[in-house]
Amino acid sequence: MYFEFENRNKRENGIENDRDQRRSWEEWGEEEWGYEEELMEEPVERRPEVRQRIQQESLRGRMKRRTGRRLLSMVRAWEGAQKETRRWLAVLLTAGLLLLLAVVVLLVRLGKVSKQLESVQAMSASLQEELDSVKGGQAGPPPLEGEVTPPAIATKTVTPVPTKAPDLAQEGYVICVDAGHGEWDGGAVLNGEKRRLEKDDNLRMSKLFCEALEAYGIKVIMTRDEDVFLELSERVDIANKAKVDALISLHRNSYAGTEEVNGVEVWVHSSMPKGASELAGSLLDAIMEVGGMENRGVKYGSMSNPREDYIINRDANMTSMIVEFGFITSDKDNAAYDEYGEAYVKEMAAAVYEWLEARQ
């Protein structure tokens, strides 16, 4: 009985204990974890304060990214501006240096031209005095100090004709000898071990020619007697102002081909004036008398166009011609030029004198 009563109590107590225990676990879970309440609560991200905080964080993130992009674009723009500035500074510096170089070259050139003009003016004044003394006339009053007398510019003519025949009793004959090229203008060039410049040959032969002409009592005017440069128009002006009987310009020819081309030729006006043609033929005959060079004949106009004339022949107001005294690129012509130079000019001077006499 006792055991049965006890067991019954235990069973009853156990039931109560199980019920109490189950109740205690439910109460503890609600108090400690609150899982039932959490299941019923609204999600955190949907709460207004959390949503506002998320929006603020998102806004700040966007602002940071936008600010970063703007700063990056500003940095890139600044770097581009610096690069462009450096490029323009380099361009301006280069342009400035080129301009400075051009100014220096111009100043040097102007200095040379000024010296040449002074030389030409002095030569022209001296020639005018000599011509006045030859003509027996009275020279005009000397120019005041610092005064520059402009050179007389003669009117161009379509066909150059000899000037009026001089009165030998009063005037005498006057010939202008022009040594082609000069100074920085070397003319034709022979390169190699036997290097030579046309300007040097022209000056040397012109001086010999002047001495040979003066031996016949002919007054000679040289456009240049030293290594200086004169424009072609300046050379013609000297002859026109002096009113010479003939202008003879001495040159050397050249050829760039492989074969050797040689010989002497004379260029006159394209209108084939009689006086110039006769004197050119006489000069060629005189050179052939000495020998050593081939006769290439009298030529008219210019090498590029027979109807266009070289300035020496185009603008001269008297008989004029260009003597191409052999080819500087020909060993044969150079040998004859060096060996027979004095003989050539003596025969040429005789031909000029005979031509002048025949005009009377």
Side-chain angles (χ1 to χ4, degrees), residues 330-346:
S330 168
D331 293 336
K332 177 183 177 182
D333 284 355
N334 288 335
Y337 192 90
D338 295 336
E339 183 177 358
Y340 305 118
E342 293 187 8
Y344 285 142
V345 296
K346 289 180 179 179

Side-chain angles (χ1 to χ4, degrees), residues 8-69:
R8 186 173 64 247
N9 289 336
K10 288 182 178 180
R11 284 193 301 270
E12 290 176 358
N13 291 332
I15 291 172
E16 291 297 325
N17 290 336
D18 291 338
R19 186 178 300 136
D20 294 337
Q21 186 177 7
R22 190 165 48 250
R23 185 172 55 251
S24 64
W25 275 103
E26 289 175 357
E27 292 175 355
W28 179 81
E30 291 176 358
E31 291 176 357
E32 296 295 330
W33 289 342
Y35 60 91
E36 290 183 355
E37 293 181 359
E38 289 180 358
L39 294 176
M40 300 299 294
E41 288 181 354
E42 184 180 7
V44 175
E45 62 271 11
R46 294 184 182 179
R47 296 177 183 176
E49 63 275 8
V50 176
R51 186 165 53 249
Q52 184 178 2
R53 187 169 60 253
I54 293 174
Q55 291 176 354
Q56 290 176 354
E57 293 293 336
S58 176
L59 179 60
R60 280 197 293 267
R62 287 197 300 270
M63 290 179 65
K64 288 181 180 180
R65 289 192 296 273
R66 188 178 303 171
T67 303
R69 287 194 296 269

Side-chain angles (χ1 to χ4, degrees), residues 293-311:
M293 291 191 182
E294 301 293 331
N295 186 349
R296 295 173 61 88
V298 179
K299 299 182 181 296
Y300 300 93
S302 65
M303 189 177 298
S304 59
N305 190 337
R307 296 184 180 180
E308 294 181 0
D309 299 284
Y310 296 111
I311 295 177

Side-chain angles (χ1 to χ4, degrees), residues 219-230:
K219 183 161 186 64
V220 181
I221 297 173
M222 293 187 68
T223 57
R224 71 179 182 98
D225 58 1
E226 57 183 352
D227 188 17
V228 296
F229 173 79
L230 295 175

Side-chain angles (χ1 to χ4, degrees), residues 72-86:
L72 181 60
S73 63
M74 290 173 64
V75 170
R76 290 177 178 174
W78 173 250
E79 292 177 349
Q82 285 184 326
K83 186 183 296 184
E84 190 70 13
T85 302
R86 288 194 295 269

Side-chain angles (χ1 to χ4, degrees), residues 161-198:
V161 296
T163 57
K164 182 179 179 180
D167 184 356
L168 297 181
Q170 296 182 3
E171 298 183 4
Y173 299 122
V174 184
I175 298 294
C176 182
V177 178
D178 171 47
H181 306 282
E183 198 179 14
W184 58 265
D185 180 13
V189 179
L190 174 65
N191 292 313
E193 296 181 359
K194 301 179 179 179
R195 178 178 174 81
R196 62 195 298 170
L197 300 177
E198 179 188 357

Side-chain angles (χ1 to χ4, degrees), residues 100-117:
L100 180 60
L101 179 61
V103 170
V104 172
V105 173
L106 179 61
L107 291 177
V108 173
R109 181 61 182 160
L110 287 177
K112 291 184 178 180
V113 171
S114 177
K115 292 180 180 179
Q116 293 170 1
L117 288 177

Side-chain angles (χ1 to χ4, degrees), residues 176-319:
C176 182
V177 178
D178 171 47
H181 306 282
E183 198 179 14
W184 58 265
D185 180 13
V189 179
L190 174 65
N191 292 313
E193 296 181 359
K194 301 179 179 179
R195 178 178 174 81
R196 62 195 298 170
L197 300 177
E198 179 188 357
K199 67 171 186 175
D200 299 330
D201 286 355
N202 295 339
L203 183 58
R204 181 171 63 253
M205 188 65 77
S206 295
K207 289 181 176 180
L208 293 175
F209 190 30
C210 289
E211 293 177 0
L213 289 171
E214 289 173 346
Y216 284 90
I218 300 172
K219 183 161 186 64
V220 181
I221 297 173
M222 293 187 68
T223 57
R224 71 179 182 98
D225 58 1
E226 57 183 352
D227 188 17
V228 296
F229 173 79
L230 295 175
E231 297 287 351
L232 294 174
S233 58
E234 294 178 301
R235 301 168 191 264
V236 177
D237 286 344
I238 292 174
N240 286 340
K241 183 177 180 180
K243 298 180 180 180
V244 300
D245 296 296
L247 169 60
I248 302 175
S249 182
L250 299 185
H251 285 258
R252 298 295 309 277
N253 221 331
S254 66
Y255 181 72
T258 54
E259 69 273 17
E260 183 175 284
V261 178
N262 50 44
V264 59
E265 60 192 27
V266 183
W267 289 86
V268 299
H269 197 274
S270 58
S271 62
M272 302 181 182
K274 180 180 179 181
S277 299
E278 290 176 350
L279 180 56
S282 298
L283 293 178
L284 286 173
D285 292 339
I287 295 172
M288 294 305 108
E289 286 290 331
V290 178
M293 291 191 182
E294 301 293 331
N295 186 349
R296 295 173 61 88
V298 179
K299 299 182 181 296
Y300 300 93
S302 65
M303 189 177 298
S304 59
N305 190 337
R307 296 184 180 180
E308 294 181 0
D309 299 284
Y310 296 111
I311 295 177
I312 291 292
N313 294 328
R314 186 192 69 191
D315 296 346
N317 293 336
M318 73 292 298
T319 297

